[in-house]
Amino acid sequence: MRLPQRIFALIDVNNCYVSCERVFNPKLENRPVVVLSNNDGCVVSRSYEAKQLGIRMAVPVFQIEELIRQYQVAVFSSNYALYAEMSRRFMNILASFVEPCEQEVYSIDECFLELTAYQQSYDLTEYARQILDTVKAWLGLPCCIGIGYSKTQAKLANNLAKTHASFQGICNLIAEDPCVIEDLLENMPVGEVWGVGRKIRQRLEQMHIHSVMDLLQADPKMIGKYFSVVMENTVKELRGMACLEIEDVVPDRQQVLSSRSFGQPIQDKDHLSEALTEFTLRAVERLRKQKLLCKAVGVSIRTNRFNKENYYRPFTVVYLADYSDDRLQIMKAVLQGLDRIYQDGHRYKKAEVILLDVIPQQRHVVDLFHNTDELIARRELSLAFDEINKKFGRDSMTLARLITPHGRSWSMIQNHKSPSYLTKWEDLLRVI
């Protein structure tokens, strides 16, 4: 018996950060809206209306201040807690339409689904419409869906669904007129293909491969010879041969990074240690949530990279005695790292903590000569720390180093941050 050809879909949220803001503030509909990066630096999300004004992705906000004033562009600081919670709910809705092994969370606003098992029972375009309508009704988020015989085709179809209003948010390459699709692909630059970056695009164009259709018609073996087996598989995927699987099991992480620019440059070592303490707690929080342990800690501080003459960017690694997720042990190592690399007289603009040599908890074997009583006591302390913050809210229990009378001069600038509608009781919407 011949197996049915595999079918994949890619669902993503349109202008995700902007759409999240609009859910809780409907007055933003049909208005130009932008969301900014850390420290309100650059544009990281734009509404359709903002794009029409010529506002580019990653443009520094100071360069568009006149446009903002002239067209009353709504400006927001990134509200990561809000976006993460909306993403969690979005992924849970999608999970209700497929089996767990048929879903791959690709990014905060993108998700692959395998629809192979549903093609006999459903019209897949209608099934996709049901998914879109459910997300819109339950979350208020507008989405687009692309459907194809491979993940690369689904990604390409999603691009078409977003850029061509005639598809009404759903591009099903399997059901569309092949002549229409061929015409669209002939006019789509090859750089739009998933995995084709700037350097690969330039090399392809030197080979007279300018459009997606040109790449689709190229010999996969020839492409593999000049590039890699990955690019060879990309051509095969464009032709409808599924080479990439749904990754329902997240690969083991190699490291956990917590990094941030400061709201203003700082020189004082105590302030730097406060910032690194905050970053360490966030990193360990993620480490423990994913049931991981680390064996080493990387610490970095840096000055403004645009100041070429005085640019200082040291990095050091401190090794722990054993694999651990203990906040206090990891924090001690971070401060040792800071002692190694700190130099007086610099104005530091950014710092980062990287938890290295990461393994799952279940793979760790405790050293035979380790003090078991101490290990149990520290584990219970960490669990108590987690439970208190889970019950009373993040940072209800924290380290004394972060309780300072002078405030956090290093805190990120967020002058346009919206309320935390879904993560703080005091920010819940009130209907009067």
Side-chain angles (χ1 to χ4, degrees):
M1 180 179 177
R2 185 180 178 184
L3 294 175
Q5 189 163 4
R6 299 178 69 182
I7 298 175
F8 300 83
L10 177 68
I11 302 92
D12 79 338
V13 181
N14 301 340
N15 312 317
C16 180
Y17 292 177
V18 167
S19 294
C20 289
E21 298 290 351
R22 282 176 164 173
V23 167
F24 299 94
N25 189 352
K27 292 181 180 179
L28 298 173
E29 292 290 344
N30 303 316
R31 273 190 65 187
V33 183
V34 296
V35 177
L36 306 180
S37 63
N38 289 348
N39 292 309
D40 294 345
C42 302
V43 173
V44 294
S45 184
R46 308 161 293 162
S47 67
Y48 173 78
E49 297 79 9
K51 294 174 185 177
Q52 292 298 103
L53 295 178
I55 296 176
R56 295 175 289 105
M57 184 66 85
V59 64
V61 69
F62 71 85
Q63 293 184 7
I64 57 170
E65 287 178 347
E66 183 56 38
L67 276 177
I68 291 172
R69 284 193 295 268
Q70 183 177 352
Y71 294 99
Q72 296 183 314
V73 178
V75 178
F76 289 90
S77 305
S78 289
N79 190 338
Y80 297 118
L82 174 66
Y83 309 149
E85 177 58 22
M86 291 292 280
S87 173
R88 186 187 67 82
R89 298 182 185 202
F90 170 63
M91 298 304 173
N92 284 345
I93 292 173
L94 299 184
S96 68
F97 285 90
V98 294
E99 295 298 318
C101 62
E102 296 169 334
Q103 181 183 25
E104 176 188 341
V105 177
Y106 183 64
S107 68
I108 191 172
D109 66 337
E110 291 180 284
C111 183
F112 283 106
L113 303 178
E114 182 166 357
L115 302 180
T116 308
Y118 306 89
Q119 57 185 311
Q120 300 299 326
S121 306
Y122 298 93
D123 178 315
L124 292 184
T125 302
E126 289 304 313
Y127 198 59
R129 178 63 60 193
Q130 185 182 343
I131 294 173
L132 287 187
D133 290 346
T134 303
V135 174
K136 183 65 175 175
W138 292 8
L139 269 187
L141 295 175
C143 303
C144 284
I145 298 183
I147 301 173
Y149 288 120
S150 67
K151 288 169 72 174
T152 303
Q153 274 197 0
K155 186 86 168 172
L156 198 65
N158 182 274
N159 187 315
L160 293 171
K162 285 192 292 187
T163 53
H164 293 78
S166 59
F167 287 116
Q168 297 182 316
I170 301 171
C171 177
N172 184 352
L173 294 182
I174 296 164
E176 291 294 338
D177 184 338
C179 294
V180 172
I181 297 301
E182 183 174 328
D183 183 62
L184 290 171
L185 298 187
E186 284 178 347
N187 291 282
M188 180 180 285
V190 71
E192 296 294 333
V193 175
W194 186 30
V196 176
R198 180 177 58 85
K199 291 183 179 180
I200 293 178
R201 174 183 59 79
Q202 291 173 347
R203 289 178 61 191
L204 287 170
E205 289 174 348
Q206 291 171 1
M207 300 166 65
H208 305 291
I209 298 175
H210 298 277
S211 69
V212 175
M213 198 65 195
D214 292 336
L215 183 59
L216 187 152
Q217 294 175 336
D219 178 14
K221 292 293 183 183
M222 182 270 290
I223 293 296
K225 177 181 176 182
Y226 283 96
F227 293 90
S228 66
V229 68
V230 174
M231 277 300 296
E232 180 180 338
N233 287 339
T234 295
V235 177
K236 291 178 180 178
E237 288 246 324
L238 285 174
R239 294 182 172 191
M241 299 169 59
C243 301
L244 303 175
E245 298 292 329
I246 290 290
E247 297 181 9
D248 58 308
V249 178
V250 179
D252 290 345
R253 299 190 70 165
Q254 302 300 311
Q255 62 183 34
V256 177
L257 169 68
S258 183
S259 171
R260 195 180 304 162
S261 297
F262 304 136
Q264 59 185 18
I266 58 177
Q267 292 179 275
D268 186 76
K269 187 179 179 183
D270 287 339
H271 289 181
L272 269 178
S273 68
E274 290 169 18
L276 286 169
T277 299
E278 167 78 13
F279 302 166
T280 303
L281 288 179
R282 298 289 82 85
V284 174
E285 191 176 272
R286 296 201 296 273
L287 189 79
R288 292 180 60 80
K289 186 176 181 180
Q290 297 173 53
K291 300 187 183 303
L292 301 172
L293 304 172
C294 72
K295 186 66 166 62
V297 178
V299 183
S300 174
I301 52 178
R302 67 187 72 173
T303 58
N304 192 326
R305 62 189 177 91
F306 296 108
N307 186 351
K308 302 296 183 183
E309 293 183 4
N310 252 340
Y311 188 43
Y312 180 59
R313 185 189 177 184
F315 176 79
T316 189
V317 175
V318 181
Y319 290 90
L320 306 177
D322 193 7
Y323 285 95
S324 176
D325 61 0
D326 187 304
R327 292 174 179 83
L328 300 182
Q329 289 181 346
I330 294 173
M331 191 66 250
K332 183 178 179 181
V334 168
L335 295 181
Q336 287 176 2
L338 177 61
D339 288 339
R340 287 183 193 172
I341 61 178
Y342 174 78
Q343 284 189 7
D344 197 11
H346 289 292
R347 290 166 54 83
Y348 296 97
K349 184 62 179 173
K350 187 175 183 178
E352 65 184 20
V353 173
I354 313 174
L355 307 185
L356 301 165
D357 193 1
V358 172
I359 63 169
Q361 288 179 0
Q362 65 267 24
R363 280 173 42 194
H364 180 236
V365 179
V366 179
D367 189 287
L368 182 64
F369 300 102
H370 201 286
N371 186 330
T372 305
D373 291 339
E374 180 186 359
L375 182 65
I376 293 173
R378 297 192 73 89
R379 188 173 295 164
E380 289 177 348
L381 175 62
S382 292
L383 289 172
F385 199 111
D386 291 340
E387 287 301 314
I388 290 170
N389 284 326
K390 182 179 179 181
K391 184 174 182 179
F392 297 102
R394 175 188 265 188
D395 294 335
S396 295
M397 182 176 183
T398 190
L399 301 184
R401 191 178 299 276
L402 291 178
I403 305 173
T404 56
H406 51 69
R408 300 182 180 183
S409 60
W410 46 269
S411 292
M412 187 165 57
I413 295 173
Q414 290 182 302
N415 292 331
H416 311 282
K417 186 171 177 289
S418 57
S420 300
Y421 300 106
L422 300 176
T423 54
K424 290 184 179 179
W425 285 108
E426 60 268 27
D427 285 350
L428 282 176
L429 283 172
R430 291 169 174 78
V431 180
I432 301 175

